[in-house]
Amino acid sequence: MTTAETKSRTTERGQHRRPDAAQRAARYTTGADTGTGTGAPTAPATGTGTGTGTVTGMGARTGMGARTGTATRTGTATGTGTAAGVGTGTGGRVTVAVYAEDLILQTGMVHQLRTRPEIELIPEAEADRAQVSLVVVDMVDDRTVQLLHRLQRNTSTRTGLVVGFFESGALQTMIECGVAAVLRRGEADQDRLIHLVKAMANGEGVLPGDLLGKLLDHVSSLQRTVLDPRGLTLSTLTAREAEMIRLVSEGYDTAEIARKTSYSERTVKNVLHEVATRLDLRNRAHAVGYAMRHGLI
């Protein structure tokens, strides 16, 4: 072998020698990152989050130029947040005040409502600002009626009645006291209570099916036995009054209304004047606007 061949082979062996310790260490890396951040959900809200992650990798190159390697990644993240806004209550919740005739009923009702995020229970000292007032009693007696009348004076709240025993005669009392919803205590599970509260907050009424039927029968009887004999209706206008105001809304004057209704002009004037006086209306235009707003014509 010549001297030149010997040097060439020595050079090739040097090019393929094993990497030193620093090079080997550079091919094995570990990393960890931690981070904290704050975010603002659109409620507005505050939040915190943490994350940790590790990356490990290793690789080796063989003398023939092949490369093998493995890599793993693990990570965990946790976050917490709270939100508050303005709506029907705090954060869109319905504000509720509970009135019960004894401590047991009070505790049971509060226990069912306090765990629901859509409900905000109002302490007794702030009960006047509640959107919904729930009265929980065994039966409607004189004390209950007094409480219902007191709540009726607060126009910012709607009253619901959760009652153990509902007598048929209590239906008229319920109407007079402005009760918006009734639920029997035996049916007052958590879901039905939440439905009742949310319905009242939305301006709706809730009645058991049998009580709704009795209410409709009661109204029909009232119309038939009290109002019809007097020529009155539940709309606050008699049929004649409603017809004359409708004609006014269509642009007819007094003489034309008299011809169409077969009454004298004096009668037409008297009828329209009576409506304006009874309903505290300023003129015919005001009477027409009132009748249209209340669906009377």
Side-chain angles (χ1 to χ4, degrees):
M1 181 180 297
T2 66
T3 302
E5 290 174 338
T6 302
K7 289 181 179 181
S8 176
R9 292 187 178 183
T10 301
T11 300
E12 291 175 357
R13 286 195 299 269
Q15 290 174 346
H16 294 286
R17 68 179 182 274
R18 298 178 62 188
D20 58 22
Q23 292 173 324
R24 291 196 302 271
R27 293 180 182 175
Y28 180 83
T29 61
T30 63
D33 62 280
T34 62
T36 63
T38 62
T42 58
T46 60
T48 61
T50 62
T52 62
T54 62
V55 179
T56 63
M58 56 184 299
R61 181 184 296 276
T62 66
M64 297 301 292
R67 184 181 184 88
T68 62
T70 61
T72 61
R73 178 182 294 271
T74 62
T76 60
T78 60
T80 61
T82 60
V86 179
T88 53
T90 302
R93 296 182 293 173
V94 180
T95 52
V96 179
V98 176
Y99 301 84
E101 63 182 0
D102 60 51
L103 183 59
I104 295 177
L105 293 177
Q106 177 86 15
T107 302
M109 185 60 58
V110 168
H111 177 73
Q112 292 207 66
L113 296 176
R114 76 187 333 163
T115 59
R116 297 297 292 257
E118 59 266 60
I119 301 298
E120 179 189 0
L121 289 174
I122 300 298
E124 183 177 355
E126 304 175 17
D128 287 344
R129 71 179 181 89
Q131 295 168 276
V132 173
S133 297
L134 281 183
V135 177
V136 189
V137 294
D138 285 326
M139 61 182 299
V140 179
D141 55 17
D142 290 342
R143 291 180 57 189
T144 303
V145 172
Q146 291 176 3
L147 174 59
L148 293 175
H149 278 305
R150 179 167 67 84
L151 294 174
Q152 189 179 22
R153 292 193 291 269
N154 181 5
T155 57
S156 64
T157 189
R158 303 191 75 219
T159 303
L161 182 65
V162 182
V163 61
F165 177 69
F166 196 89
E167 297 178 335
S168 58
L171 187 62
Q172 178 67 33
T173 302
M174 179 195 75
I175 297 171
E176 294 172 352
C177 294
V179 173
V182 175
L183 183 63
R184 289 188 173 91
R185 270 197 10 232
E187 302 171 352
D189 58 22
Q190 190 180 62
D191 289 338
R192 286 192 175 94
L193 283 171
I194 298 303
H195 169 73
L196 179 139
V197 168
K198 295 172 71 173
M200 285 196 293
N202 290 329
E204 302 171 10
V206 179
L207 282 177
D210 62 316
L211 290 185
L212 180 59
K214 290 178 180 179
L215 177 61
L216 294 176
D217 290 342
H218 178 76
V219 172
S220 177
S221 175
L222 181 65
Q223 177 70 53
R224 185 175 58 254
T225 61
V226 178
L227 300 179
D228 283 347
R230 295 169 174 80
L232 302 174
T233 67
L234 289 172
S235 68
T236 70
L237 295 177
T238 66
R240 183 174 67 172
E241 290 170 344
E243 175 65 11
M244 289 186 179
I245 292 178
R246 184 185 64 79
L247 292 172
V248 171
S249 71
E250 294 176 359
Y252 292 101
D253 60 23
T254 301
E256 292 171 323
I257 294 174
R259 286 196 297 271
K260 283 185 171 292
T261 58
S262 300
Y263 289 107
S264 67
E265 293 186 27
R266 176 180 291 276
T267 299
V268 172
K269 290 179 180 179
N270 288 340
V271 168
L272 294 176
H273 177 74
E274 166 64 22
V275 171
T277 302
R278 186 173 74 245
L279 300 179
D280 195 23
L281 305 173
R282 293 188 298 274
N283 48 45
R284 293 187 179 188
H286 193 188
V288 170
Y290 175 91
M292 294 183 68
R293 282 195 304 272
H294 291 81
L296 304 180
I297 59 173

